[in-house]
Amino acid sequence: MEPKPTERSYVFLPWILTFTLFGALAVFSYYRGSHNPFVIEFIKDDLLSTMRIHLLEASEAEKNAVLATTDEASESFADRARQAADEVESSRKKIESFLLQEKRPEETEIFNEFNICWSQFRKLDETILALATQNTNLKAQKISATQGTQEMERFEQSLNRLIHRNTNNKCNEVVMLSYEALTAGLKIFTLHKPHIEEASDQEMDKIELSIKTYDTAARKALGALRSIADLSDNEDMNNAETAYEQFMNLTSEVLRLSRINTNIKSAELSSGKKGLISSRCQEILASLQKTVQAQRSNATR
């Protein structure tokens, strides 16, 4: 006897239920996580917030690297700046993958604008951090304030002893020449600071020309002192000449480091061009986030 029609349908019922269950699971899987348009907007919004926070952290760490007064502190802040920038880049790539899938013209256009700004930010950031961590101006300042000061004090003390120990009829000449040499040396010393703080190469050229002029005057006075018979083998005379040579060697190193000018250059870039680019990147991210939030709002209606 043939089965009734209703009995035949019961035979296929398990298969129908199985296919229905698999279909439901497939739909649920599709709309869960990264395939759910509503969830995607939340993820993008969160990524953009994270990017803005890390971008601010990168900018602040970079400024601290520029302002730091030791190599160790500069390196530490530079590392923080690079880490924060890497976090921005990581979030940027995640958002980029979403936008490539969604192909929304408005969001893509804003995102491309950010990419240009972000590329400028990273390039300038590396330039500033590389300069800041060299600290050449701070090193020049330290040499001048420590070793330079010590050698100038030795020079002054030697010349003062030379004056007081010579009481013959040539004393006036010794006094005059000693003060000429000391005055020229002190003028060179006072030019260290403005040279270290100067940003313009042309102005540094002028300062170095003055230093050269004073150096010539100091050496001329020392040479004249050396020609005096009573001072031909004088210990104070020898000490004065040695101290002056050491001082001028240090001066050359101060000028060399000052010429590299890394602290001045990094400070100018950080407070100028970098600040503008950073602000622009933040503005673009804010605009993109506003667009994403509007899209999410529309999706809930």
Side-chain angles (χ1 to χ4, degrees), residues 17-60:
L17 291 175
T18 300
F19 283 119
T20 301
L21 179 60
F22 275 118
L25 288 173
V27 171
F28 175 75
S29 176
Y30 181 83
Y31 280 100
R32 184 184 63 182
S34 63
H35 287 98
N36 188 328
F38 186 70
V39 173
I40 288 175
E41 299 308 316
F42 267 110
I43 295 174
K44 285 160 58 180
D45 191 13
D46 183 64
L47 286 171
L48 287 167
S49 294
T50 301
M51 286 177 71
R52 295 176 69 181
I53 291 171
H54 287 308
L55 181 60
L56 181 61
E57 289 176 351
S59 296
E60 290 302 313

mmCIF file of all heavy atoms in Angstrom, residues 17-60:
data_model
loop_
_atom_site.group_PDB
_atom_site.id
_atom_site.type_symbol
_atom_site.label_atom_id
_atom_site.label_comp_id
_atom_site.label_asym_id
_atom_site.label_seq_id
_atom_site.Cartn_x
_atom_site.Cartn_y
_atom_site.Cartn_z
ATOM 1 N N LEU A 17 14.148 20.963 8.302
ATOM 2 C CA LEU A 17 14.568 21.609 9.546
ATOM 3 C C LEU A 17 16.077 21.817 9.582
ATOM 4 O O LEU A 17 16.568 22.859 10.034
ATOM 5 C CB LEU A 17 14.130 20.759 10.743
ATOM 6 C CG LEU A 17 12.625 20.692 11.013
ATOM 7 C CD1 LEU A 17 12.332 19.712 12.141
ATOM 8 C CD2 LEU A 17 12.082 22.080 11.363
ATOM 9 N N THR A 18 16.808 20.825 9.066
ATOM 10 C CA THR A 18 18.275 20.934 9.050
ATOM 11 C C THR A 18 18.749 22.088 8.184
ATOM 12 O O THR A 18 19.594 22.902 8.576
ATOM 13 C CB THR A 18 18.902 19.620 8.537
ATOM 14 O OG1 THR A 18 18.517 18.553 9.402
ATOM 15 C CG2 THR A 18 20.426 19.738 8.509
ATOM 16 N N PHE A 19 18.181 22.165 6.939
ATOM 17 C CA PHE A 19 18.563 23.255 6.025
ATOM 18 C C PHE A 19 18.143 24.610 6.577
ATOM 19 O O PHE A 19 18.849 25.614 6.410
ATOM 20 C CB PHE A 19 17.948 23.033 4.642
ATOM 21 C CG PHE A 19 18.678 21.994 3.831
ATOM 22 C CD1 PHE A 19 18.022 20.845 3.403
ATOM 23 C CD2 PHE A 19 20.017 22.166 3.514
ATOM 24 C CE1 PHE A 19 18.685 19.885 2.659
ATOM 25 C CE2 PHE A 19 20.685 21.206 2.762
ATOM 26 C CZ PHE A 19 20.019 20.054 2.339
ATOM 27 N N THR A 20 16.992 24.661 7.252
ATOM 28 C CA THR A 20 16.533 25.922 7.852
ATOM 29 C C THR A 20 17.489 26.376 8.945
ATOM 30 O O THR A 20 17.839 27.557 9.050
ATOM 31 C CB THR A 20 15.122 25.754 8.445
ATOM 32 O OG1 THR A 20 14.232 25.350 7.411
ATOM 33 C CG2 THR A 20 14.637 27.071 9.051
ATOM 34 N N LEU A 21 17.937 25.417 9.766
ATOM 35 C CA LEU A 21 18.868 25.728 10.844
ATOM 36 C C LEU A 21 20.206 26.232 10.300
ATOM 37 O O LEU A 21 20.754 27.235 10.779
ATOM 38 C CB LEU A 21 19.099 24.489 11.708
ATOM 39 C CG LEU A 21 20.075 24.652 12.890
ATOM 40 C CD1 LEU A 21 19.569 25.735 13.838
ATOM 41 C CD2 LEU A 21 20.250 23.334 13.620
ATOM 42 N N PHE A 22 20.707 25.536 9.277
ATOM 43 C CA PHE A 22 21.974 25.982 8.666
ATOM 44 C C PHE A 22 21.842 27.377 8.056
ATOM 45 O O PHE A 22 22.752 28.203 8.128
ATOM 46 C CB PHE A 22 22.430 24.984 7.595
ATOM 47 C CG PHE A 22 23.215 23.836 8.150
ATOM 48 C CD1 PHE A 22 22.764 22.529 8.033
ATOM 49 C CD2 PHE A 22 24.424 24.060 8.785
ATOM 50 C CE1 PHE A 22 23.486 21.462 8.550
ATOM 51 C CE2 PHE A 22 25.167 22.997 9.305
ATOM 52 C CZ PHE A 22 24.684 21.695 9.189
ATOM 53 N N GLY A 23 20.707 27.650 7.451
ATOM 54 C CA GLY A 23 20.472 28.971 6.866
ATOM 55 C C GLY A 23 20.451 30.047 7.933
ATOM 56 O O GLY A 23 21.025 31.129 7.762
ATOM 57 N N ALA A 24 19.800 29.760 9.048
ATOM 58 C CA ALA A 24 19.724 30.731 10.135
ATOM 59 C C ALA A 24 21.109 30.997 10.721
ATOM 60 O O ALA A 24 21.468 32.144 11.023
ATOM 61 C CB ALA A 24 18.775 30.214 11.224
ATOM 62 N N LEU A 25 21.878 29.915 10.886
ATOM 63 C CA LEU A 25 23.230 30.078 11.407
ATOM 64 C C LEU A 25 24.098 30.897 10.463
ATOM 65 O O LEU A 25 24.925 31.702 10.896
ATOM 66 C CB LEU A 25 23.869 28.707 11.635
ATOM 67 C CG LEU A 25 23.324 27.901 12.829
ATOM 68 C CD1 LEU A 25 23.923 26.494 12.829
ATOM 69 C CD2 LEU A 25 23.628 28.612 14.137
ATOM 70 N N ALA A 26 23.922 30.680 9.170
ATOM 71 C CA ALA A 26 24.706 31.435 8.180
ATOM 72 C C ALA A 26 24.380 32.918 8.250
ATOM 73 O O ALA A 26 25.262 33.777 8.202
ATOM 74 C CB ALA A 26 24.444 30.894 6.779
ATOM 75 N N VAL A 27 23.078 33.230 8.355
ATOM 76 C CA VAL A 27 22.662 34.632 8.439
ATOM 77 C C VAL A 27 23.182 35.262 9.719
ATOM 78 O O VAL A 27 23.683 36.391 9.730
ATOM 79 C CB VAL A 27 21.120 34.737 8.367
ATOM 80 C CG1 VAL A 27 20.673 36.165 8.673
ATOM 81 C CG2 VAL A 27 20.624 34.312 7.002
ATOM 82 N N PHE A 28 23.069 34.497 10.843
ATOM 83 C CA PHE A 28 23.546 35.007 12.121
ATOM 84 C C PHE A 28 25.054 35.268 12.070
ATOM 85 O O PHE A 28 25.547 36.287 12.546
ATOM 86 C CB PHE A 28 23.244 33.998 13.223
ATOM 87 C CG PHE A 28 23.807 34.381 14.559
ATOM 88 C CD1 PHE A 28 23.219 35.381 15.318
ATOM 89 C CD2 PHE A 28 24.947 33.754 15.042
ATOM 90 C CE1 PHE A 28 23.746 35.742 16.543
ATOM 91 C CE2 PHE A 28 25.480 34.103 16.263
ATOM 92 C CZ PHE A 28 24.876 35.105 17.019
ATOM 93 N N SER A 29 25.777 34.316 11.447
ATOM 94 C CA SER A 29 27.221 34.469 11.334
ATOM 95 C C SER A 29 27.592 35.683 10.497
ATOM 96 O O SER A 29 28.537 36.404 10.799
ATOM 97 C CB SER A 29 27.832 33.203 10.725
ATOM 98 O OG SER A 29 29.219 33.364 10.524
ATOM 99 N N TYR A 30 26.822 35.909 9.446
ATOM 100 C CA TYR A 30 27.120 37.039 8.557
ATOM 101 C C TYR A 30 26.931 38.365 9.275
ATOM 102 O O TYR A 30 27.734 39.297 9.135
ATOM 103 C CB TYR A 30 26.229 36.981 7.325
ATOM 104 C CG TYR A 30 26.490 38.091 6.343
ATOM 105 C CD1 TYR A 30 27.525 37.997 5.414
ATOM 106 C CD2 TYR A 30 25.716 39.253 6.354
ATOM 107 C CE1 TYR A 30 27.784 39.025 4.534
ATOM 108 C CE2 TYR A 30 25.975 40.283 5.479
ATOM 109 C CZ TYR A 30 26.997 40.153 4.561
ATOM 110 O OH TYR A 30 27.244 41.176 3.695
ATOM 111 N N TYR A 31 25.843 38.463 10.039
ATOM 112 C CA TYR A 31 25.532 39.732 10.688
ATOM 113 C C TYR A 31 26.166 39.881 12.069
ATOM 114 O O TYR A 31 25.918 40.848 12.767
ATOM 115 C CB TYR A 31 24.010 39.928 10.803
ATOM 116 C CG TYR A 31 23.421 40.405 9.511
ATOM 117 C CD1 TYR A 31 22.780 39.514 8.652
ATOM 118 C CD2 TYR A 31 23.545 41.732 9.140
ATOM 119 C CE1 TYR A 31 22.261 39.954 7.445
ATOM 120 C CE2 TYR A 31 23.024 42.179 7.934
ATOM 121 C CZ TYR A 31 22.378 41.290 7.090
ATOM 122 O OH TYR A 31 21.873 41.726 5.901
ATOM 123 N N ARG A 32 26.944 38.922 12.458
ATOM 124 C CA ARG A 32 27.667 39.031 13.711
ATOM 125 C C ARG A 32 29.064 39.579 13.431
ATOM 126 O O ARG A 32 29.707 39.236 12.462
ATOM 127 C CB ARG A 32 27.797 37.650 14.358
ATOM 128 C CG ARG A 32 28.467 37.698 15.737
ATOM 129 C CD ARG A 32 28.648 36.295 16.282
ATOM 130 N NE ARG A 32 29.551 35.549 15.412
ATOM 131 C CZ ARG A 32 29.865 34.281 15.614
ATOM 132 N NH1 ARG A 32 29.318 33.611 16.600
ATOM 133 N NH2 ARG A 32 30.701 33.668 14.785
ATOM 134 N N GLY A 33 29.563 40.458 14.315
ATOM 135 C CA GLY A 33 30.944 40.951 14.203
ATOM 136 C C GLY A 33 31.165 41.819 12.995
ATOM 137 O O GLY A 33 30.420 42.747 12.718
ATOM 138 N N SER A 34 32.191 41.484 12.237
ATOM 139 C CA SER A 34 32.651 42.372 11.178
ATOM 140 C C SER A 34 31.706 42.470 10.002
ATOM 141 O O SER A 34 31.855 43.366 9.173
ATOM 142 C CB SER A 34 34.028 41.900 10.684
ATOM 143 O OG SER A 34 33.923 40.615 10.126
ATOM 144 N N HIS A 35 30.725 41.544 9.859
ATOM 145 C CA HIS A 35 29.809 41.626 8.731
ATOM 146 C C HIS A 35 28.543 42.409 9.060
ATOM 147 O O HIS A 35 27.743 42.685 8.185
ATOM 148 C CB HIS A 35 29.413 40.208 8.268
ATOM 149 C CG HIS A 35 30.513 39.496 7.548
ATOM 150 N ND1 HIS A 35 31.328 38.594 8.175
ATOM 151 C CD2 HIS A 35 30.952 39.589 6.265
ATOM 152 C CE1 HIS A 35 32.218 38.121 7.309
ATOM 153 N NE2 HIS A 35 32.014 38.718 6.157
ATOM 154 N N ASN A 36 28.384 42.761 10.321
ATOM 155 C CA ASN A 36 27.198 43.500 10.728
ATOM 156 C C ASN A 36 27.445 44.988 10.497
ATOM 157 O O ASN A 36 28.287 45.592 11.163
ATOM 158 C CB ASN A 36 26.929 43.241 12.216
ATOM 159 C CG ASN A 36 25.598 43.834 12.653
ATOM 160 O OD1 ASN A 36 25.176 44.859 12.133
ATOM 161 N ND2 ASN A 36 24.965 43.186 13.622
ATOM 162 N N PRO A 37 26.712 45.616 9.567
ATOM 163 C CA PRO A 37 26.946 47.034 9.262
ATOM 164 C C PRO A 37 26.838 47.925 10.487
ATOM 165 O O PRO A 37 27.594 48.884 10.631
ATOM 166 C CB PRO A 37 25.855 47.358 8.236
ATOM 167 C CG PRO A 37 25.517 46.052 7.614
ATOM 168 C CD PRO A 37 25.661 45.037 8.709
ATOM 169 N N PHE A 38 25.906 47.623 11.363
ATOM 170 C CA PHE A 38 25.714 48.437 12.562
ATOM 171 C C PHE A 38 26.923 48.322 13.495
ATOM 172 O O PHE A 38 27.411 49.315 14.033
ATOM 173 C CB PHE A 38 24.432 48.000 13.284
ATOM 174 C CG PHE A 38 24.076 48.881 14.442
ATOM 175 C CD1 PHE A 38 23.638 50.176 14.237
ATOM 176 C CD2 PHE A 38 24.199 48.413 15.750
ATOM 177 C CE1 PHE A 38 23.310 50.996 15.308
ATOM 178 C CE2 PHE A 38 23.878 49.226 16.824
ATOM 179 C CZ PHE A 38 23.425 50.522 16.596
ATOM 180 N N VAL A 39 27.409 47.069 13.658
ATOM 181 C CA VAL A 39 28.579 46.835 14.511
ATOM 182 C C VAL A 39 29.826 47.482 13.908
ATOM 183 O O VAL A 39 30.665 48.029 14.623
ATOM 184 C CB VAL A 39 28.799 45.322 14.724
ATOM 185 C CG1 VAL A 39 30.109 45.071 15.463
ATOM 186 C CG2 VAL A 39 27.640 44.720 15.486
ATOM 187 N N ILE A 40 29.943 47.418 12.600
ATOM 188 C CA ILE A 40 31.089 48.010 11.921
ATOM 189 C C ILE A 40 31.208 49.495 12.231
ATOM 190 O O ILE A 40 32.307 50.012 12.482
ATOM 191 C CB ILE A 40 31.000 47.789 10.392
ATOM 192 C CG1 ILE A 40 31.279 46.322 10.061
ATOM 193 C CG2 ILE A 40 31.998 48.680 9.657
ATOM 194 C CD1 ILE A 40 31.102 45.989 8.604
ATOM 195 N N GLU A 41 30.065 50.200 12.224
ATOM 196 C CA GLU A 41 30.096 51.639 12.497
ATOM 197 C C GLU A 41 30.578 51.914 13.921
ATOM 198 O O GLU A 41 31.299 52.881 14.166
ATOM 199 C CB GLU A 41 28.701 52.251 12.282
ATOM 200 C CG GLU A 41 28.169 52.107 10.870
ATOM 201 C CD GLU A 41 29.150 52.594 9.815
ATOM 202 O OE1 GLU A 41 29.745 53.668 10.008
ATOM 203 O OE2 GLU A 41 29.338 51.893 8.802
ATOM 204 N N PHE A 42 30.168 51.051 14.861
ATOM 205 C CA PHE A 42 30.655 51.184 16.233
ATOM 206 C C PHE A 42 32.161 50.974 16.295
ATOM 207 O O PHE A 42 32.889 51.704 16.979
ATOM 208 C CB PHE A 42 29.952 50.172 17.148
ATOM 209 C CG PHE A 42 28.722 50.717 17.815
ATOM 210 C CD1 PHE A 42 27.460 50.268 17.452
ATOM 211 C CD2 PHE A 42 28.820 51.684 18.807
ATOM 212 C CE1 PHE A 42 26.327 50.782 18.058
ATOM 213 C CE2 PHE A 42 27.691 52.194 19.427
ATOM 214 C CZ PHE A 42 26.429 51.739 19.052
ATOM 215 N N ILE A 43 32.654 49.959 15.590
ATOM 216 C CA ILE A 43 34.093 49.660 15.585
ATOM 217 C C ILE A 43 34.880 50.819 14.983
ATOM 218 O O ILE A 43 35.908 51.250 15.518
ATOM 219 C CB ILE A 43 34.367 48.360 14.795
ATOM 220 C CG1 ILE A 43 33.728 47.159 15.499
ATOM 221 C CG2 ILE A 43 35.877 48.144 14.634
ATOM 222 C CD1 ILE A 43 33.831 45.867 14.719
ATOM 223 N N LYS A 44 34.401 51.345 13.872
ATOM 224 C CA LYS A 44 35.076 52.473 13.215
ATOM 225 C C LYS A 44 35.103 53.702 14.120
ATOM 226 O O LYS A 44 36.119 54.393 14.218
ATOM 227 C CB LYS A 44 34.388 52.791 11.884
ATOM 228 C CG LYS A 44 34.695 51.794 10.782
ATOM 229 C CD LYS A 44 33.672 51.820 9.672
ATOM 230 C CE LYS A 44 33.519 53.163 9.020
ATOM 231 N NZ LYS A 44 32.509 53.136 7.931
ATOM 232 N N ASP A 45 33.983 53.957 14.769
ATOM 233 C CA ASP A 45 33.904 55.096 15.690
ATOM 234 C C ASP A 45 34.917 54.946 16.816
ATOM 235 O O ASP A 45 35.629 55.892 17.175
ATOM 236 C CB ASP A 45 32.477 55.198 16.245
ATOM 237 C CG ASP A 45 32.245 56.499 17.006
ATOM 238 O OD1 ASP A 45 33.094 57.410 16.899
ATOM 239 O OD2 ASP A 45 31.227 56.595 17.717
ATOM 240 N N ASP A 46 34.995 53.738 17.369
ATOM 241 C CA ASP A 46 35.936 53.476 18.456
ATOM 242 C C ASP A 46 37.380 53.599 17.976
ATOM 243 O O ASP A 46 38.238 54.157 18.671
ATOM 244 C CB ASP A 46 35.687 52.074 19.018
ATOM 245 C CG ASP A 46 36.586 51.768 20.214
ATOM 246 O OD1 ASP A 46 36.448 52.459 21.237
ATOM 247 O OD2 ASP A 46 37.432 50.856 20.102
ATOM 248 N N LEU A 47 37.669 53.089 16.778
ATOM 249 C CA LEU A 47 39.020 53.195 16.223
ATOM 250 C C LEU A 47 39.421 54.653 16.004
ATOM 251 O O LEU A 47 40.565 55.041 16.267
ATOM 252 C CB LEU A 47 39.095 52.429 14.905
ATOM 253 C CG LEU A 47 39.128 50.898 14.995
ATOM 254 C CD1 LEU A 47 38.974 50.281 13.608
ATOM 255 C CD2 LEU A 47 40.417 50.410 15.644
ATOM 256 N N LEU A 48 38.492 55.455 15.541
ATOM 257 C CA LEU A 48 38.781 56.875 15.305
ATOM 258 C C LEU A 48 39.045 57.599 16.623
ATOM 259 O O LEU A 48 39.929 58.459 16.694
ATOM 260 C CB LEU A 48 37.625 57.530 14.550
ATOM 261 C CG LEU A 48 37.532 57.144 13.072
ATOM 262 C CD1 LEU A 48 36.189 57.563 12.484
ATOM 263 C CD2 LEU A 48 38.671 57.784 12.280
ATOM 264 N N SER A 49 38.293 57.267 17.654
ATOM 265 C CA SER A 49 38.545 57.866 18.972
ATOM 266 C C SER A 49 39.937 57.485 19.469
ATOM 267 O O SER A 49 40.680 58.324 20.003
ATOM 268 C CB SER A 49 37.493 57.397 19.982
ATOM 269 O OG SER A 49 36.209 57.895 19.648
ATOM 270 N N THR A 50 40.281 56.220 19.278
ATOM 271 C CA THR A 50 41.603 55.747 19.679
ATOM 272 C C THR A 50 42.702 56.457 18.898
ATOM 273 O O THR A 50 43.737 56.842 19.468
ATOM 274 C CB THR A 50 41.715 54.221 19.452
ATOM 275 O OG1 THR A 50 40.700 53.558 20.208
ATOM 276 C CG2 THR A 50 43.081 53.705 19.871
ATOM 277 N N MET A 51 42.491 56.634 17.612
ATOM 278 C CA MET A 51 43.484 57.326 16.787
ATOM 279 C C MET A 51 43.713 58.752 17.270
ATOM 280 O O MET A 51 44.854 59.217 17.344
ATOM 281 C CB MET A 51 43.028 57.336 15.322
ATOM 282 C CG MET A 51 43.147 56.001 14.614
ATOM 283 S SD MET A 51 42.502 56.068 12.917
ATOM 284 C CE MET A 51 43.757 57.070 12.122
ATOM 285 N N ARG A 52 42.634 59.439 17.600
ATOM 286 C CA ARG A 52 42.754 60.839 18.035
ATOM 287 C C ARG A 52 43.507 60.931 19.357
ATOM 288 O O ARG A 52 44.316 61.838 19.560
ATOM 289 C CB ARG A 52 41.357 61.464 18.154
ATOM 290 C CG ARG A 52 40.637 61.571 16.818
ATOM 291 C CD ARG A 52 39.229 62.104 16.974
ATOM 292 N NE ARG A 52 39.247 63.509 17.374
ATOM 293 C CZ ARG A 52 38.142 64.222 17.601
ATOM 294 N NH1 ARG A 52 36.948 63.652 17.481
ATOM 295 N NH2 ARG A 52 38.218 65.492 17.961
ATOM 296 N N ILE A 53 43.262 59.966 20.251
ATOM 297 C CA ILE A 53 43.960 59.956 21.541
ATOM 298 C C ILE A 53 45.450 59.693 21.334
ATOM 299 O O ILE A 53 46.309 60.406 21.879
ATOM 300 C CB ILE A 53 43.350 58.886 22.470
ATOM 301 C CG1 ILE A 53 41.931 59.294 22.888
ATOM 302 C CG2 ILE A 53 44.230 58.693 23.718
ATOM 303 C CD1 ILE A 53 41.173 58.213 23.616
ATOM 304 N N HIS A 54 45.773 58.676 20.539
ATOM 305 C CA HIS A 54 47.185 58.336 20.317
ATOM 306 C C HIS A 54 47.902 59.416 19.508
ATOM 307 O O HIS A 54 49.116 59.630 19.702
ATOM 308 C CB HIS A 54 47.302 56.990 19.614
ATOM 309 C CG HIS A 54 46.984 55.818 20.494
ATOM 310 N ND1 HIS A 54 47.583 55.636 21.719
ATOM 311 C CD2 HIS A 54 46.127 54.780 20.341
ATOM 312 C CE1 HIS A 54 47.130 54.535 22.279
ATOM 313 N NE2 HIS A 54 46.236 53.989 21.471
ATOM 314 N N LEU A 55 47.191 60.076 18.620
ATOM 315 C CA LEU A 55 47.797 61.175 17.868
ATOM 316 C C LEU A 55 48.182 62.308 18.814
ATOM 317 O O LEU A 55 49.261 62.894 18.684
ATOM 318 C CB LEU A 55 46.815 61.685 16.808
ATOM 319 C CG LEU A 55 47.300 62.834 15.914
ATOM 320 C CD1 LEU A 55 48.541 62.418 15.134
ATOM 321 C CD2 LEU A 55 46.194 63.252 14.948
ATOM 322 N N LEU A 56 47.321 62.594 19.772
ATOM 323 C CA LEU A 56 47.629 63.616 20.771
ATOM 324 C C LEU A 56 48.815 63.185 21.631
ATOM 325 O O LEU A 56 49.706 63.990 21.925
ATOM 326 C CB LEU A 56 46.401 63.871 21.653
ATOM 327 C CG LEU A 56 46.564 64.948 22.735
ATOM 328 C CD1 LEU A 56 46.882 66.299 22.112
ATOM 329 C CD2 LEU A 56 45.284 65.041 23.579
ATOM 330 N N GLU A 57 48.844 61.912 22.016
ATOM 331 C CA GLU A 57 49.956 61.394 22.813
ATOM 332 C C GLU A 57 51.277 61.495 22.045
ATOM 333 O O GLU A 57 52.311 61.857 22.624
ATOM 334 C CB GLU A 57 49.696 59.934 23.184
ATOM 335 C CG GLU A 57 48.580 59.747 24.208
ATOM 336 C CD GLU A 57 48.292 58.291 24.479
ATOM 337 O OE1 GLU A 57 48.838 57.421 23.741
ATOM 338 O OE2 GLU A 57 47.520 57.998 25.404
ATOM 339 N N ALA A 58 51.239 61.181 20.760
ATOM 340 C CA ALA A 58 52.451 61.261 19.937
ATOM 341 C C ALA A 58 52.967 62.694 19.868
ATOM 342 O O ALA A 58 54.176 62.942 19.961
ATOM 343 C CB ALA A 58 52.168 60.725 18.532
ATOM 344 N N SER A 59 52.064 63.635 19.717
ATOM 345 C CA SER A 59 52.446 65.051 19.628
ATOM 346 C C SER A 59 53.039 65.547 20.941
ATOM 347 O O SER A 59 54.055 66.259 20.951
ATOM 348 C CB SER A 59 51.229 65.901 19.249
ATOM 349 O OG SER A 59 50.753 65.556 17.968
ATOM 350 N N GLU A 60 52.407 65.174 22.055
ATOM 351 C CA GLU A 60 52.903 65.613 23.361
ATOM 352 C C GLU A 60 54.266 64.995 23.671
ATOM 353 O O GLU A 60 55.153 65.676 24.201
ATOM 354 C CB GLU A 60 51.888 65.236 24.451
ATOM 355 C CG GLU A 60 50.602 66.048 24.413
ATOM 356 C CD GLU A 60 50.845 67.536 24.546
ATOM 357 O OE1 GLU A 60 51.613 67.934 25.449
ATOM 358 O OE2 GLU A 60 50.288 68.307 23.739
#
